């Protein structure tokens, strides 16, 4: 019977096979059952001892040890041996095919014609039942083995995307490698897609159907063809050969098929093991019976059955051994991450399902090594596989050595740059914490605690669960183990909150408890929603809580109430969910009612207790934002509303802090809803409060206007009253109290005489500003008379003149406040206010005069564009000084944003923007003088300037045609500036200002294609007068030319004529391999310390070729693509030659043109995969980068919120 043979060859490894054997290897040994990919020599799986040097040798040994080795002889011996032992167990073959069968048998076909591919079409369609499909194929195979097997082979070939087929003639006369080579020649598809990667909807379900077919095939054959020897051996040989192909489609599909076949065989082996155990128990029970009760015939049948099961298990383990050594050992280090992910996922399932054979250190090390993979999907599969293993307490004892070796890596993956990998790493450590006591040290746990403040909610929630099981669960849950009630005891709840306070206060990781509450919400939500325990702790007289602990507990209370009421995380925390489900919305509504009913009676008590502390009373007033205020009416709780209004008035009169006043004004605004039945009562209380404040203001103002001197108490009292009125004017309409005139008189005196203290001037400015806005609101809402419009216009112009005068005030706070209010008013009363059918407001449109525009620009230069040293005198490194600088930076950004808005909306002339650009030009010049032109683009300050230029380019907006002339002029002037200063005569150094071209390249996307060509020509003309060394291009010029030309035309467009080398696949494949490896290395980022892992075995079918020395490779400037540095991390030592070596592409033994045709294949790997680069995962938080970036000059146009820490 013909078989698929392999004549592929590999260079002989210098290492010998290991003398120890794995559970799968013991059944194979050196005998004829050993199935390798293309060699009769056995290749051992890794030994059980990780510290043995033989394990590494066994792993790295090639599947083929010589050119003359062939698979055919061993297969024939196996087939004869099986035939001699017992006949093939088959069911009776039907005389005729099934009605409606889609099978076409090959008996009636010519030998040269391949079987039809209906099997592939049926699996692709996925419309028929897989079991029926496999049964039909089995019927056809039993009628004609050759034709049936050919159809199975062609099914796998078609699944790879190859339209070539294996004919009967090829099957009889060609070896395995020759068939694959012939199919490779026919694999000339133009597209890079194949069934497993094709994006079309018809192929999306193919992978699932493909895997299901393999699983069903093994399941249906487990009592018959699985032990035949012919189909499975040849199928394994075919898949092993295809998995060694250079064609990615062959390698990917065959590896998936081989791994799924292995998984199915593992299930069969597990069933056989269970049958053996049952047989052994039956045999022992029968043998232990008395002499009169014992049945010799049953004992004999049980012995025969056990022998048969043992033989079946040996054969299954032989197949698994062949697949593991022939496919997995090489493909888990494949260059394609999808292939590596498949291997890791499947070995994890083997360990879980058949832990007796696979859960050993010899197999676990593959997962440990791959934890350092540079691709996210592979690392994710490793963590999921380990999570499944650690979740089973019965298996944790066998993971102790693995845990000790790779625990450090698993802990470090918490900081992985890919959030889903980091989430899985934290979940894995949580499982280890639950099931393996004492493994994670305090140091390990402390490295996970800060993650509860991460910006990604999934990661923070995972870290919160870890924190809960580490700190809270042992103390709070153990006391309830004996009780039947689900409700936790009050004592346990108090313990929970005390532990939460201790962690937040003592860890000093963050300033806001809202993020900690959100992190614990999923796992400790019921405890956090125990508002009864929270409020009782706060209201107790002898609670023994310090001031910081009370403030933290109030913040936890407010955060939990907000989380329950709104159902979304705090500001800045990212979640991928779009909304709440119906069930979650119902829970949210129920929680809102519960918290409102509980807190309405207690809120006045809390305000009364903490009314003297501004830091505590402000968040308590925010609780009203999350109440269902209708409950005041429906539950008849008006008496508590009265108490609340009394406490609210007391708090407002007592405090002058902006946070407290803003919270109080907003709380009163929520209650002043005309739809509430208690609106009249709240409105009366508001009027009383404003009357009180207004009367006090009038008295104090009269004293100020009449007296030339006020003491500090009088100044403080007047300033506090104005602050309270200003805060309420922001949220409430106080127009009827007519505060504009007295405040305007106060400001006029401040401008004319300068005798009014700045503490009084600042809130007075805000009061007049709100007064004008409320007047505009009234006029916009109804038809206004011309008199009203002119009156408002006069007030606005008068106030703008006051603000303009304040710009030259001696107090910087007054200057900044006047600038902010002035820029807002100019924007509000700009021409855009009449848009949307409000043409009646045209008399209010105001255009600033040239003097005002000039003063605004001057203020910007004096107060915004200042050197970092002028911000403060504190030394860097102190938290208070750092915080002050950040606050000042935010204020400068707000000022700059207000000025830029005036430019964008056309309030100011575009010429005013020149001052902004002049500042950054000055900054560039100073930087150039300090550092020099060499290495300028690597400085942090220059990188920030480039980022700033990128943001300036965005300000041009989508109107490309409208801004065309401006952008072209900008580029021309930039080119002139970059070449304005030339190097000394005869010098080949670059001009000092040449680095400016890199900043200019950020504006290139705003150019038209025609303008880019003209600018390239202009740059080339300008460069003719600059002497330059041939062969040494200037980096800024190259960068700028790339920005002006498409990637494919870079060489032609470059005025310096830097040629771009083109890869020729057919001339030097080994050089192309090195170039591709270099590109792969440049795209990856490697950690400082990477545990070395085994080198990659070749993935191509190669013959022996001379080795190329290290010198030739170093000339290309690239190092060998390696999965590790020198040796495996588990104590194994690999025998290596004295210098790095690699193999060249083999010559074609069958024809002169095959090599060239092979290199033209679109789906073929451009490189020969000598070794795979296993760069460790890039971390999402790099301390080195953070420390360096903290020294950079802070950017004014950064649109993101600054934070000293990442979380």
């Amino acid at each position: 019977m013909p078989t698929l043979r392999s004549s592929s060859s590999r260079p002989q490894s210098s290492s010998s096979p290991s003398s120890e054997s794995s559970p799968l290897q013991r059944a194979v040994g050196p005998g004829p059952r050993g199935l390798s990919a293309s060699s009769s020599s056995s290749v051992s799986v890794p030994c059980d001892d990780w510290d043995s040097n033989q394990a590494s040798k066994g792993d790295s040994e090639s599947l083929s040890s010589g050119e003359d080795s062939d698979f055919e002889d061993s297969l024939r011996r196996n087939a004869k041996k099986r035939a001699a032992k017992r006949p093939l167990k088959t069911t009776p073959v039907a005389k005729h095919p099934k009605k409606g069968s889609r099978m076409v048998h090959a008996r009636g076909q010519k030998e040269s014609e391949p079987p039809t591919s209906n099997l592939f079409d049926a699996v692709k369609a996925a419309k028929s039942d897989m079991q029926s499909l496999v049964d039909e194929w089995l019927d056809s195979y039993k009628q004609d083995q050759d034709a049936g097997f050919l159809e199975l082979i062609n099914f796998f070939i078609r699944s790879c995307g190859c339209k070539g087929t294996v004919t009967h003639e090829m099957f009889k006369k060609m070896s395995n490698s020759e068939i694959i080579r012939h199919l490779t020649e026919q694999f000339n598809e133009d597209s890079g897609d194949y069934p497993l990667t094709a994006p079309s909807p018809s192929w999306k379900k193919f992978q699932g159907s493909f895997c299901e077919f393999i699983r069903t095939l093994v399941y249906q054959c487990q009592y018959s063809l699985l032990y035949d020897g012919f189909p499975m051996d040849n199928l394994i040989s075919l898949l092993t050969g295809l998995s060694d192909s250079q064609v990615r489609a062959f390698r990917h599909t065959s590896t998936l098929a081989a791994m799924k076949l292995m998984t199915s065989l593992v299930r069969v082996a597990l069933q056989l093991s269970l049958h053996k155990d049952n047989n052994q128990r039956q045999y022992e029970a029968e043998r232990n019976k008395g002499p009169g009760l014992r049945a010799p015939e049953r004992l004999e049948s049980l012995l025969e059955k056990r022998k048969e099961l043992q033989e079946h298990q040996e054969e299954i383990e032989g197949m698994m051994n062949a697949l593991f050594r022939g496919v997995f050992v090489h493909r888990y280090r494949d260059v394609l991450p999808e292939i590596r992910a498949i291997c890791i996922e499947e070995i994890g399932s083997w360990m879980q399902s058949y832990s007796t054979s696979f859960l050993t250190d010899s197999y676990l090390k593959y997962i440990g090594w791959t934890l350092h993979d540079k691709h996210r999907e592979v690392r994710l599969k490793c963590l999921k596989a380990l999570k499944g293993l650690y979740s089973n307490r019965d298996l944790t004892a066998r993971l102790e050595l693995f845990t000790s070796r790779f625990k450090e890596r698993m802990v470090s993956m918490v900081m992985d740059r890919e959030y889903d990998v980091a989430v899985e790493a934290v979940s894995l450590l949580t499982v280890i914490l639950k099931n393996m006591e004492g493994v994670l040290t305090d140091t390990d746990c402390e490295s996970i605690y800060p993650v509860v403040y991460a910006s990604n909610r999934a990661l923070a929630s995972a870290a919160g669960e870890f924190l809960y099981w580490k700190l809270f669960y042992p103390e709070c849950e153990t006391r309830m183990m004996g009780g039947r009630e689900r409700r936790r005891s009050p004592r346990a709840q108090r313990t929970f909150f005390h532990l939460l306070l201790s962690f937040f206060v003592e860890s000093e990781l963050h300033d806001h408890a809202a993020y900690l509450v959100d992190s614990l919400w999923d796992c400790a939500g019921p405890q956090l929603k125990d508002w009864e325990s929270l409020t009782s702790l706060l209201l107790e007289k002898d609670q023994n809580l310090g001031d910081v602990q009370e403030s933290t507990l109030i913040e936890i209370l407010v955060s939990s109430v907000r989380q329950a009421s709104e159902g979304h995380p705090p500001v800045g925390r990212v979640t991928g969910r779009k909304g709440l489900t119906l069930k979650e919305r119902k829970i949210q509504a129920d929680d809102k009612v519960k918290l409102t009913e509980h807190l309405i009676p207690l809120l006045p008590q809390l305000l009364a207790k903490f009314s003297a502390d501004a830091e505590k009373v402000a968040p308590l007033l925010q609780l009203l934002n999350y109440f269902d205020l209708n409950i005041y009416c429906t539950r008849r709780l008006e008496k508590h509303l009265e108490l609340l209004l009394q406490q609210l008035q007391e708090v407002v009169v007592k405090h002058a802090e902006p946070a407290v006043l803003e919270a109080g004004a907003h709380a009163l605004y929520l209650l002043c809803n005309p739809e509430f039945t208690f609106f009249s009562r709240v409105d009366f209380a508001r009027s009383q409060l404003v009357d009180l404040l207004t009367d006090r203001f009038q008295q104090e103002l009269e004293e100020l206007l009449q007296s030339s001197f006020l003491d500090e108490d009088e100044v403080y009292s007047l300033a506090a009253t104005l602050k309270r009125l200003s805060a309420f004017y922001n949220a409430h309409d106080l127009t009827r109290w007519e505060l504009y005139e007295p405040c305007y008189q106060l400001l006029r005196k401040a401008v004319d005489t300068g005798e009014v203290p700045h503490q009084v001037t600042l809130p007075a400015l805000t009061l007049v500003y709100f007064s004008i806005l409320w007047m505009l609101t009234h006029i916009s809402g109804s038809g206004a008379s011309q008199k009203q419009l002119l009156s408002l216009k006069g007030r606005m112009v008068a106030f703008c003149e006051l603000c303009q005068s304040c710009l030259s005030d001696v107090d910087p706070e007054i200057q900044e406040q006047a600038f902010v209010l002035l820029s807002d008013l100019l924007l509000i009363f700009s021409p855009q206010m009449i848009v949307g059918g409000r043409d009646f407001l045209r008399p209010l449109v105001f255009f600033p005069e040239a003097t005002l525009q000039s003063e605004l620009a001057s203020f910007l230069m004096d107060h915004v564009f200042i050197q970092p040293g002028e911000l403060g005198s504190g030394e860097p490194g102190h938290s208070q000084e750092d915080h002050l600088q950040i606050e000042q930076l935010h204020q400068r950004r707000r000022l700059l944003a207000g000025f830029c808005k005036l430019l964008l909306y056309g309030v100011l002339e575009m010429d005013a923007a020149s001052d902004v650009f002049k500042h950054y030009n000055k900054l560039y010049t100073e930087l150039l003088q300090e550092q020099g032109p060499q290495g300028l683009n690597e400085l942090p300050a220059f990188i920030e300037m480039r980022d700033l230029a990128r943001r300036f380019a965005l300000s041009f907006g989508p109107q490309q045609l409208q801004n065309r002339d401006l952008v072209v002029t900008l580029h021309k002037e930039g080119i002139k500036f970059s070449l304005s200063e030339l190097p000394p005569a005869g010098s080949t150094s670059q001009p000092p200002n040449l680095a400016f071209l890199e900043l200019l390249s950020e504006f290139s996307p705003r150019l038209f294609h025609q303008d880019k060509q003209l600018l390239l020509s202009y740059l080339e003309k300008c460069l003719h007068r600059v002497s330059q060394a041939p062969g040494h291009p200037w980096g800024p010029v190259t960068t700028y030319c790339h920005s002006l030309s498409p990637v494919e035309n870079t060489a032609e467009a470059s005025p310096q004529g830097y040629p771009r080398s083109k890869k020729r696949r057919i001339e030097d494949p080994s050089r192309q391999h090195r170039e591709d490896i270099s590109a792969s290395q440049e795209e990856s980022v490697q950690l400082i310390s990477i545990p070395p892992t085994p080198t990659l075995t070749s993935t191509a079918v190669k013959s022996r070729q001379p080795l190329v020395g290290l010198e030739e490779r170093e000339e290309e400037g690239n190092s060998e693509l390696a999965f590790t540095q020198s040796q495996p991390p588990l104590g194994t030592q690999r025998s290596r030659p004295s210098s790095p070596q690699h193999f060249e592409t083999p010559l074609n033994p069958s024809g002169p043109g095959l090599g060239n045709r092979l290199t033209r294949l679109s789906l073929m790997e451009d490189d020969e995969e000598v070794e795979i680069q296993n760069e460790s995962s890039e971390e999402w938080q790099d301390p080195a980068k953070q420390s360096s970036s903290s020294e950079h000059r802070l950017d004014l146009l950064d649109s993101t919120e600054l934070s000293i820490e990442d979380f």
Side-chain angles (χ1 to χ4, degrees), residues 7 58 108 189 192 281 322 674 683 941 959 996 1034 1109 1124 1131 1146 1173:
S7 60
E189 302 297 322
R281 286 193 295 270
D683 185 52
Q959 292 82 13
F996 189 78
W1034 290 332
T1124 86
Q1173 183 181 15

Side-chain angles (χ1 to χ4, degrees), residues 849-910:
E849 298 179 355
T851 55
L852 178 57
Q853 296 188 36
S854 176
E855 289 192 35
L856 289 173
S858 300
F859 175 86
L860 198 71
M861 301 302 298
D862 295 338
H863 293 80
V864 176
F865 296 131
I866 56 179
Q867 297 299 324
E870 303 176 23
L871 293 176
S873 58
E875 297 181 0
H878 300 285
S879 59
Q880 293 182 353
E881 282 76 7
D882 291 342
H883 182 72
L884 178 61
Q885 286 194 10
I886 290 174
E887 288 296 327
Q888 292 175 342
L889 177 66
H890 279 302
Q891 178 64 14
R892 293 165 63 205
R893 286 177 179 169
R894 283 191 288 267
L895 298 176
L896 181 58
F899 185 82
C900 292
K901 279 190 244 181
L902 296 177
L903 291 172
L904 293 176
Y905 282 94
V907 179
L908 302 180
E909 298 293 337
M910 190 56 70

Side-chain angles (χ1 to χ4, degrees), residues 283-497:
Y283 179 79
E284 294 294 337
E286 189 67 27
R287 191 179 62 176
N288 292 334
K289 291 181 180 180
L293 300 175
R294 187 184 306 164
E297 296 83 1
R298 178 167 174 77
L299 286 176
E300 184 178 354
S301 64
L302 289 174
L303 285 175
E304 288 291 332
K305 183 66 175 178
R306 183 169 63 179
K307 182 179 179 181
E308 181 182 357
L309 291 174
Q310 180 64 30
E311 292 175 352
H312 286 183
Q313 189 173 28
E314 290 177 358
E315 293 183 8
I316 293 296
E317 290 182 347
M319 298 177 200
M320 293 192 298
N321 190 52
L323 286 170
F324 185 84
R325 295 183 302 171
V327 180
F328 178 88
V329 170
H330 301 285
R331 296 283 68 78
Y332 91 98
R333 297 165 293 181
D334 194 275
V335 71
L336 193 64
E338 290 86 349
I339 294 179
R340 303 201 298 273
I342 289 171
C343 294
I344 296 302
E345 182 179 16
E346 295 306 316
I347 195 175
S349 68
W350 306 339
M351 292 177 182
Q352 292 184 49
S353 60
Y354 199 8
S355 58
T356 305
S357 295
F358 285 97
L359 192 57
T360 62
D361 299 334
S362 300
Y363 297 100
L364 281 168
K365 65 182 179 183
Y366 294 109
I367 297 181
W369 289 340
T370 319
L371 285 171
H372 297 271
D373 196 277
K374 67 177 182 178
H375 281 273
R376 158 193 162 278
E377 186 64 26
V378 184
R379 300 196 302 274
L380 198 60
K381 294 295 184 183
C382 292
L383 293 172
K384 288 182 177 180
L386 292 175
K387 185 178 177 181
L389 296 174
Y390 282 103
S391 298
N392 191 341
R393 284 183 175 269
D394 298 334
L395 304 180
T396 53
R398 299 156 71 176
L399 293 168
E400 292 180 355
L401 179 58
F402 174 86
T403 307
S404 64
R405 295 297 181 94
F406 291 100
K407 183 187 69 172
E408 182 179 357
R409 173 57 186 159
M410 290 187 285
V411 173
S412 69
M413 292 181 77
V414 172
M415 297 296 179
D416 196 280
R417 65 171 298 176
E418 301 291 345
Y419 282 124
D420 51 353
V421 178
V423 169
E424 200 64 34
V426 177
S427 300
L428 171 62
L429 294 174
T430 305
V431 173
I432 294 176
L433 178 68
K434 293 179 183 178
N435 296 335
M436 298 184 72
E437 297 181 1
V439 172
L440 295 178
T441 62
D442 293 339
T443 304
D444 297 331
C445 297
E446 289 171 0
S447 64
I448 305 172
Y449 293 157
V451 187
V452 297
Y453 300 108
S455 60
N456 184 273
R457 190 180 190 277
L459 179 58
S461 298
E465 184 181 3
F466 179 88
L467 176 67
Y468 176 79
W469 283 95
K470 175 64 179 177
L471 297 181
F472 305 134
Y473 183 83
E475 298 292 333
C476 303
E477 300 292 338
T478 51
R479 296 189 176 96
M480 299 184 55
M481 296 297 289
R484 296 182 179 180
E485 295 183 358
R486 299 287 296 174
R487 183 176 177 82
R488 293 169 176 82
S489 64
R491 185 177 179 183
Q493 282 297 101
R494 289 172 177 268
T495 303
F496 171 81
F497 286 115

Side-chain angles (χ1 to χ4, degrees), residues 996-1014:
F996 189 78
L997 289 177
E998 294 198 20
L999 303 180
L1000 201 60
S1001 65
E1002 299 297 337
F1003 296 88
S1004 297
R1006 301 295 172 180
L1007 290 167
F1008 282 90
H1009 179 71
Q1010 300 89 331
D1011 297 335
K1012 291 182 179 180
Q1013 299 298 326
L1014 292 175

Side-chain angles (χ1 to χ4, degrees), residues 490 502 556 618 625 646 696 728 757 774 814 859 893 941 994-995 1138 1153 1176:
S502 300
I556 291 174
N625 295 325
Q646 293 176 9
R696 184 180 297 182
F728 273 78
W774 277 110
I814 294 179
F859 175 86
R893 286 177 179 169
L994 196 65
S1138 59
S1176 65

